[in-house]
Amino acid sequence: MRPEERTFVAIKPDGVQRGLVGEVIKRFETKGYKVTALKMLQVTDAQAKAHYAEHEGKPFYPRLIRYIQSGPVVAMVVEGYNAVAGVRHLMGSTDPDKAEVGTIRADFAQVMEYNVVHGSDSVESAEREIAIYFDENEIFDERKCMSELVTEYLDAD
Ligand code: UDP
Ligand code: MG
């Protein structure tokens, strides 16, 4: 069994336009998660509808679909122990004013629509959402610590 989970994270257009990409990624990295895939993209109609299929018919759905396509998004796969719940914890509640202080949404957002980040709500959603945005060959889960890199460097040639 795979000991680590992977989850899908997107920095939404408000986060990208406000220059918060580095701040958001830093929180995941300093927690100890691995960012194993990363790209900036314009979300297509098909991707937006697939991503938010569970919300179709809700009052906020049309604005959500329009909003997620209103500018570039930074999409990521984030991996680590209990990463699905852990990333949601770092993100905070959907409504920034209900999110705990210290979370991304509490610290960087004011209203629900522009809440900076998306994170999958279950392992199943994560796998479904990753497949909407990434091919498996775009995900790189190998990591090395500095001592491994130094040893490799010294042993080279
Ligand atoms: N949303 C909104 N108004 C609402 C509920 C949700 O604008 O009343 C937006 C918000 O950006 C949220 C996204 O729709 O992040 C998806 O909603 P969900 O309930 O899945 O929240 P999340 O999983 O992102 O916390
Ligand atoms: Mg959700």
Side-chain angles (χ1 to χ4, degrees):
M1 201 185 83
R2 196 181 178 86
E4 300 208 321
E5 282 176 4
R6 52 186 203 168
T7 187
F8 175 72
V9 174
I11 305 176
K12 297 179 180 181
D14 56 313
V16 176
Q17 276 160 7
R18 292 171 58 212
L20 296 173
V21 172
E23 282 291 339
V24 171
I25 294 175
K26 185 177 173 189
R27 292 187 177 215
F28 300 131
E29 288 191 325
T30 53
K31 172 87 176 182
Y33 297 137
K34 292 185 281 190
V35 176
T36 55
L38 178 72
K39 64 179 156 193
M40 184 182 281
L41 74 151
Q42 171 64 47
V43 175
T44 65
D45 254 357
Q47 284 172 320
K49 285 177 184 152
H51 181 163
Y52 286 122
E54 65 175 309
H55 296 305
E56 198 182 344
K58 295 182 186 168
F60 62 87
Y61 177 78
R63 279 178 65 157
L64 178 60
I65 294 295
R66 225 175 325 144
Y67 181 63
I68 202 70
Q69 297 184 267
S70 67
V73 156
V74 170
M76 283 175 268
V77 177
V78 174
E79 188 170 314
Y81 174 75
N82 203 31
V84 170
V87 162
R88 299 270 296 182
H89 196 209
L90 288 179
M91 283 168 36
S93 298
T94 312
D95 181 346
D97 284 338
K98 299 202 170 75
E100 271 180 81
V101 171
T103 62
I104 293 165
R105 285 165 165 176
D107 290 357
F108 301 141
Q110 296 180 8
V111 292
M112 200 145 38
E113 185 169 12
Y114 304 144
N115 61 6
V116 183
V117 275
H118 166 83
S120 309
D121 62 10
S122 66
V123 171
E124 295 70 36
S125 304
E127 291 304 314
R128 193 184 71 78
E129 291 167 5
I130 288 168
I132 293 170
Y133 291 97
F134 290 99
D135 291 329
E136 280 300 319
N137 66 8
E138 294 177 299
I139 302 170
F140 302 89
D141 65 3
E142 194 185 341
R143 283 293 182 282
K144 286 176 182 167
C145 66
M146 183 56 92
S147 63
E148 287 172 289
L149 291 171
V150 169
T151 303
E152 268 179 25
Y153 170 74
L154 294 175
D155 289 348
D157 303 326

